[in-house]
Amino acid sequence: MMQNSDSIFNKHSTTGTGFPGKALDTYKDLLIVLGLAIILLVFIYVPFLSHNVIRFALGLVMVLFLPGYAFIAALYPGKEDLGNLERAVLSVGLSIILVPFTGYILNYTIWGITLNSILLSVTALLLVCLLVAFVRRQWLPAEKRFMVDFRGPVEQAKKLVLPASKDRSDTIISGLLICSLLLILSVIGYLVVMPYQADRYTEFYLYGPEGKMSNYPTNFTLGEKKPLIIGIVNKEGMSKEYDLAVTLTDGNQSHRIFLDHMVLADNETLEKTIYLAPDRVGNMQNMRFLLYMEGSPADPYRECNLWVNVTEPAVNASVSNETTVTP
């Protein structure tokens, strides 16, 4: 285990009694994690903030660090429980595990895998871990609680940028460091201030009748109707009209079995149950779901496919075995 008394994770100011000078410092890291999660929710659900580079940056932090950090904080509330390097590395590693695992579980629930379900589930997990971390730190003596010192790195930066020595070479190096820091801050400011041009696209997907990416209807009896859920998410930056055509292709022959027209506002999500009834018998027929935008007769804008089998309806056994008696 690597322990460094000057590390950002362990060093903290104390009073003469050995307890932290400010009780809030013990939980400052937990409050920052909670604040970042709340800010991300704001940037996702407030329309005029949803297409912003800050949302992308916060999303990466949410996926790659925050859940794992909260989980580690709940498991190891003491400053001597885990080394600083191990704590940081495990935070990233556990986040990469927890977020996909949450999505895997959601796939077997009534909510399925959507942006809202994943975001809210990860946020709920985050809140539970933060609450457990807070309670477990409360149980420990104040001087043994893990805490983050935000003043230590600032003091170290001051010593690095403004050394006590008045040597000319130190002054030149300090000047170069300050110029580099200002350049980096300028680039970050430019990226934040400049308008973020989000990619324009439309999501198109299929769910089974239970709202999951499984149990798709693939075996039909001729004349039988079966439900299926289609999903469309408009990310085109404006209201769009869509036409959905479902065709059945057997060999070189293709014919349409379903047609629908929809209008979606920008950022609107539509999940709709449709009923399909193949009208030709055959095995491994390609059921194509073709999504057209703005009435374009050209190639479909988006496409999904299912391979289905269609069989003749079974003949009633009592009728087939019926005999005719003649006098």
Side-chain angles (χ1 to χ4, degrees):
M1 294 293 180
M2 298 180 61
Q3 298 293 336
N4 186 350
S5 59
D6 295 328
S7 169
I8 183 175
F9 288 107
N10 281 344
K11 186 178 178 182
H12 58 83
S13 60
T14 58
T15 65
T17 60
F19 289 89
K22 296 181 180 180
L24 185 61
D25 288 347
T26 307
Y27 313 104
K28 191 177 294 183
D29 59 324
L30 304 182
L31 293 175
I32 291 176
V33 170
L34 177 61
L36 289 175
I38 293 174
I39 293 173
L40 175 61
L41 293 176
V42 171
F43 272 87
I44 288 178
Y45 290 109
V46 175
F48 67 90
L49 294 176
S50 59
H51 296 302
N52 193 297
V53 69
I54 299 178
R55 169 185 170 174
F56 176 75
L58 290 174
L60 285 179
V61 175
M62 183 68 164
V63 172
L64 299 178
F65 188 77
L66 296 187
Y69 183 87
F71 194 81
I72 289 296
L75 286 179
Y76 302 103
K79 64 180 180 180
E80 302 297 335
D81 292 339
L82 195 66
N84 306 317
L85 180 60
E86 289 88 347
R87 189 180 290 269
V89 172
L90 285 175
S91 296
V92 176
L94 281 175
S95 295
I96 296 175
I97 294 173
L98 289 173
V99 175
F101 185 70
T102 302
Y104 175 79
I105 294 177
L106 285 173
N107 186 46
Y108 294 94
T109 66
I110 59 174
W111 301 288
I113 301 178
T114 64
L115 173 63
N116 290 335
S117 63
I118 291 180
L119 181 62
L120 295 178
S121 298
V122 172
T123 302
L125 174 64
L126 189 72
L127 293 176
V128 171
C129 291
L130 290 177
L131 180 60
V132 173
F134 174 81
V135 172
R136 295 198 67 194
R137 285 188 192 178
Q138 279 284 90
W139 289 347
L140 292 176
E143 69 275 9
K144 293 185 178 181
R145 297 172 187 168
F146 171 77
M147 65 180 298
V148 177
D149 175 29
F150 296 96
R151 293 182 293 274
V154 175
E155 295 298 328
Q156 293 179 3
K158 285 182 180 180
K159 293 179 181 179
L160 180 64
V161 177
L162 300 173
S165 172
K166 299 299 183 182
D167 186 82
R168 184 174 182 180
S169 61
D170 291 338
T171 304
I172 294 175
I173 293 175
S174 299
L176 291 175
L177 288 173
I178 293 174
C179 291
S180 300
L181 181 61
L182 291 175
L183 179 61
I184 293 173
L185 292 176
S186 300
V187 172
I188 294 175
Y190 173 80
L191 293 175
V192 172
V193 173
M194 288 298 293
Y196 173 66
Q197 183 63 39
D199 293 333
R200 306 301 183 189
Y201 62 94
T202 295
E203 295 181 20
F204 180 45
Y205 53 88
L206 304 178
Y207 282 157
E210 296 85 10
K212 305 174 185 177
M213 291 188 294
S214 60
N215 297 327
Y216 295 103
T218 55
N219 295 298
F220 290 81
T221 301
L222 188 64
E224 177 186 20
K225 285 187 177 182
K226 288 191 175 182
L228 182 141
I229 299 174
I230 59 104
I232 304 173
V233 183
N234 179 10
K235 296 289 185 179
E236 302 290 345
M238 62 184 71
S239 177
K240 291 291 183 179
E241 296 186 20
Y242 298 94
D243 291 294
L244 173 64
V246 182
T247 65
L248 197 63
T249 302
D250 186 6
N252 295 325
Q253 297 183 349
S254 178
H255 58 286
R256 189 170 63 201
I257 61 173
F258 183 86
L259 182 63
D260 197 4
H261 178 80
M262 294 148 287
V263 179
L264 274 70
D266 183 36
N267 285 324
E268 182 180 356
T269 298
L270 171 68
E271 290 188 355
K272 180 178 181 179
T273 300
I274 63 175
Y275 291 85
L276 302 172
D279 56 0
R280 291 188 182 181
V281 175
N283 293 325
M284 295 302 292
Q285 299 185 73
N286 186 9
M287 186 178 289
R288 302 177 65 197
F289 297 78
L290 309 175
L291 186 67
Y292 298 88
M293 187 169 65
E294 300 294 339
S296 173
D299 293 335
Y301 186 54
R302 294 287 184 267
E303 178 177 347
C304 295
N305 294 269
L306 281 180
W307 296 92
V308 301
N309 301 315
V310 185
T311 58
E312 292 280 3
V315 179
N316 191 309
S318 62
V319 175
S320 61
N321 293 330
E322 183 178 287
T323 57
T324 302
V325 179
T326 56

